[in-house]
Amino acid sequence: MVHRLAAGQRKRVVSALGIAQTIAWASSYYIPAVLAAPMADSLGLSPVWVFAAFSMAMVVSAGVGPWAGSTIDRLGGRGVLMISNLIFAAGLTVLALAPSSAVLFAGWAIIGLGMGSGLYEAAFSALAGIYGREARGPITGITLIAGFASTVGWPLSGLMLATWGWREACLGWAAIHLLLALPLNALLPSANDHRPAPRSMVEDGPPPSPVALALLAFVFAATWFTSTAMAAHLPGLLQAAGASTGVAIAAGALIGPAQVAARLLEFGFLGRFHPLVSARLAAATHPLAAVLLVVFGGPAAYAFALLHGAGNGILTIAKGTLPLALFGTTGYGQRLGWLNAPARALQAAAPLVFGAALSAWGLSAIWLTAGVGLAATAALMMLRRA
């Protein structure tokens, strides 16, 4: 089912969904960095337990993703995304009221349901239902906006923490979901607005081969592992390479701008090529960055951050555009959920696994993610456009 929108309506949908995605990411994926320590102190726990609860939320999101995608395939994305705002608000409220670690884990489990039904995979599925094979541009558009989730989320969480406290910060994010994100998702076309597409647009050819699906699922899992490992341990890795604390922090700050710049490149120049081309180039950037860091040490910290950030920015888009380009629109949402389920589960383990490697091997731990990146590049080279 594909719904055609005028250019002005397309901008409205992309803007609304992009802002809603920024809120969803900022209030889930990015809040532990700011709120984990005060949460733990308040409940008499080690911060490790808060991050364990967050990892559990990602596992929950992996389980709910295929169901959410299938529902979006049948009914459209508006209702599912609006419900996800209610789920996020409920989970954040439970966190705010948590008197014990058990309730804390329950709150994160609810947030995991929201993540599985309200983050990029659900948004990409909603856009595929609206635009069909023309969704590549809108998908890039919402990632351009939501790429600033950490830029917005960390300072806002910090401001609410400093002004009110961590419990009130959770309630603040819950209110933002109800008062801003939910009305923005309500601007999406409803299921009743969808019209049957021409026969040629519905039929995407034979079902994709299991080998192609397995290769793409591996690529998603590998790149999510590296992305999450770097998000958790980049400053420590750069310091192990010889960079000072100040240089490590400054280099880490370049990842966000590098992601946005790469997405602009994807939106413009790379948009004229098949998504496989940009995905292959992006997957190769982290291994290249790793070689530079090992060879040149601390002075290569900035180059490492720029290359890693650029590759990660394009690969985020590829997680939506590659399945669409390779396998078509039929069953896109459910397929996207299954393709990303292993990635979400592996993502939950990435900080622990890479942290242990970094402690044991020092800078040589980078060969772990570099090897994973090379394997992902090889898998992408094995995929064909048809």
Side-chain angles (χ1 to χ4, degrees), residues 106-292:
W108 275 111
I110 296 171
I111 290 174
L113 295 175
M115 293 168 71
S117 58
L119 292 183
Y120 274 152
E121 289 87 353
F124 294 165
S125 300
L127 290 174
I130 298 169
Y131 300 110
R133 285 185 175 271
E134 298 176 5
R136 182 177 181 179
I139 287 173
T140 304
I142 67 165
T143 61
L144 277 171
I145 299 171
F148 291 98
S150 61
T151 305
V152 173
W154 283 337
L156 186 53
S157 290
L159 177 62
M160 290 190 286
L161 173 65
T163 305
W164 300 315
W166 74 266
R167 294 182 186 274
E168 291 79 5
C170 290
L171 289 175
W173 280 118
I176 291 171
H177 270 284
L178 297 177
L179 300 177
L180 182 56
L182 190 151
L184 287 171
N185 281 326
L187 294 176
L188 291 173
S190 69
N192 292 332
D193 293 331
H194 290 251
R195 294 193 298 269
R199 183 176 179 84
S200 61
M201 297 181 64
V202 174
E203 294 181 351
D204 292 311
S209 73
V211 173
L213 290 171
L215 286 171
L216 199 54
F218 170 76
V219 169
F220 290 174
T223 52
W224 266 121
F225 175 86
T226 297
S227 173
T228 306
M230 292 299 102
H233 297 290
L234 181 65
L237 175 67
L238 297 181
Q239 287 177 277
S244 67
T245 302
V247 168
I249 293 173
L254 293 176
I255 288 183
Q259 290 184 148
V260 173
R263 288 169 185 171
L264 286 171
L265 182 65
E266 161 69 18
F267 191 74
F269 176 72
L270 291 176
R272 68 187 69 179
F273 300 102
H274 194 280
L276 266 175
V277 175
S278 54
R280 289 165 178 167
L281 291 173
T285 56
H286 181 81
L288 174 60
V291 171
L292 292 177

Side-chain angles (χ1 to χ4, degrees), residues 9-169:
Q9 292 175 299
R10 176 176 294 204
K11 290 179 181 178
R12 184 190 69 178
V13 167
V14 171
S15 299
L17 189 52
I19 296 171
Q21 282 293 294
T22 301
I23 294 168
W25 282 94
S27 61
S28 59
Y29 190 82
Y30 289 111
I31 63 171
V34 178
L35 301 184
M39 279 183 187
D41 289 342
S42 174
L43 297 173
L45 303 171
S46 165
V48 172
W49 285 103
V50 179
F51 284 103
F54 175 59
S55 295
M56 178 203 64
M58 286 192 283
V59 174
V60 171
S61 75
V64 77
W67 170 84
S70 176
T71 303
I72 291 172
D73 286 338
R74 292 184 290 107
L75 304 177
R78 187 174 77 166
V80 172
L81 288 167
M82 291 174 68
I83 291 172
S84 76
N85 295 129
L86 299 176
I87 295 172
F88 276 126
L92 289 160
T93 300
V94 171
L95 283 187
L97 300 176
S100 65
S101 59
V103 180
L104 181 81
F105 270 76
W108 275 111
I110 296 171
I111 290 174
L113 295 175
M115 293 168 71
S117 58
L119 292 183
Y120 274 152
E121 289 87 353
F124 294 165
S125 300
L127 290 174
I130 298 169
Y131 300 110
R133 285 185 175 271
E134 298 176 5
R136 182 177 181 179
I139 287 173
T140 304
I142 67 165
T143 61
L144 277 171
I145 299 171
F148 291 98
S150 61
T151 305
V152 173
W154 283 337
L156 186 53
S157 290
L159 177 62
M160 290 190 286
L161 173 65
T163 305
W164 300 315
W166 74 266
R167 294 182 186 274
E168 291 79 5

